[in-house]
Amino acid sequence: MEASSAIDVKNKLKVYRAMHDLTQEALADKIGVTRQTIISMEKGKYDPSLGLAFRLAGFFQVRIEDIFVPE
């Protein structure tokens, strides 16, 4: 069986954060991560765990794939 290659994921986290008028720090506090984690995700330098992706989707009341889009 051949190993599949990694999927690049783009996110709309900054868009959803702005729609809810939240700072990076406010969002981080609400979902239980550091501000640096939010910054890293928004810059595409960090892909969240599945658990964190579910927390973000639940917080914004959208599907995970609405926030995280494969490229």
Side-chain angles (χ1 to χ4, degrees):
M1 182 176 219
E2 194 173 312
S4 63
S5 52
I7 297 174
D8 288 327
V9 177
K10 186 174 183 176
N11 74 70
K12 298 179 183 175
L13 188 55
K14 189 172 184 176
V15 172
Y16 279 98
R17 186 173 56 77
M19 287 170 41
H20 288 80
D21 197 30
L22 292 168
T23 63
Q24 291 168 331
E25 188 159 359
L27 177 58
D29 288 345
K30 290 182 182 293
I31 61 169
V33 297
T34 65
R35 181 175 156 265
Q36 189 60 43
T37 299
I38 300 298
I39 291 168
S40 295
M41 283 191 290
E42 287 184 355
K43 289 183 176 183
K45 294 183 177 184
Y46 173 73
D47 290 330
S49 66
L50 188 55
L52 179 52
F54 271 109
R55 285 202 315 266
L56 287 162
F59 177 79
F60 290 121
Q61 298 182 346
V62 296
R63 299 173 307 156
I64 289 174
E65 54 266 40
D66 292 334
I67 301 173
F68 300 97
V69 183
E71 289 188 315

